[in-house]
Amino acid sequence: TNLELIGVGGIYEWSDSIEFLRAGANAVQFSSAYNSKIATVTRQEDIASILSSFLIDQKQKLESYLGRKGIKSVTEIVGKIER
């Protein structure tokens, strides 16, 4: 069977997402980070700006990590737990 998994819960930054991907998740959701980032924000425009900046930053950090490891695609680490 070709089961797709999404890692959710406890993902606050890019390094957390690595753990979920290595454990077999095909995608991750930054909802924990989202909730902590907007907890005290009241303006909708501020929320959108904060989350957009955060996600761009996390994507860049993940891409940098993959590049340092010589990994061309995030799919190369899915299910590949480091020992």
Side-chain angles (χ1 to χ4, degrees):
T1 178
N2 191 13
L3 182 63
E4 300 289 322
L5 300 173
I6 300 173
V8 178
I11 301 174
Y12 291 93
E13 59 183 38
W14 70 272
S15 55
D16 298 326
S17 69
I18 294 291
E19 294 179 32
F20 280 79
L21 293 164
R22 288 197 179 281
N26 302 93
V28 294
Q29 177 179 313
F30 281 89
S31 58
S32 296
Y34 171 87
N35 290 332
S36 69
K37 294 279 181 204
I38 66 163
T40 60
V41 179
T42 56
R43 291 187 38 214
Q44 189 66 33
E45 297 82 16
D46 293 340
I47 292 171
S49 175
I50 290 167
L51 292 179
S52 176
S53 296
F54 171 75
L55 291 175
I56 289 168
D57 179 60
Q58 295 306 300
K59 181 178 183 267
Q60 290 171 342
K61 289 177 178 177
L62 178 57
E63 288 170 340
S64 177
Y65 168 83
L66 295 175
R68 287 192 311 273
K69 295 285 192 173
I71 301 167
K72 294 180 176 49
S73 171
V74 73
T75 59
E76 293 179 39
I77 66 171
V78 173
K80 306 286 194 290
I81 297 175
E82 288 185 332
R83 299 184 194 272

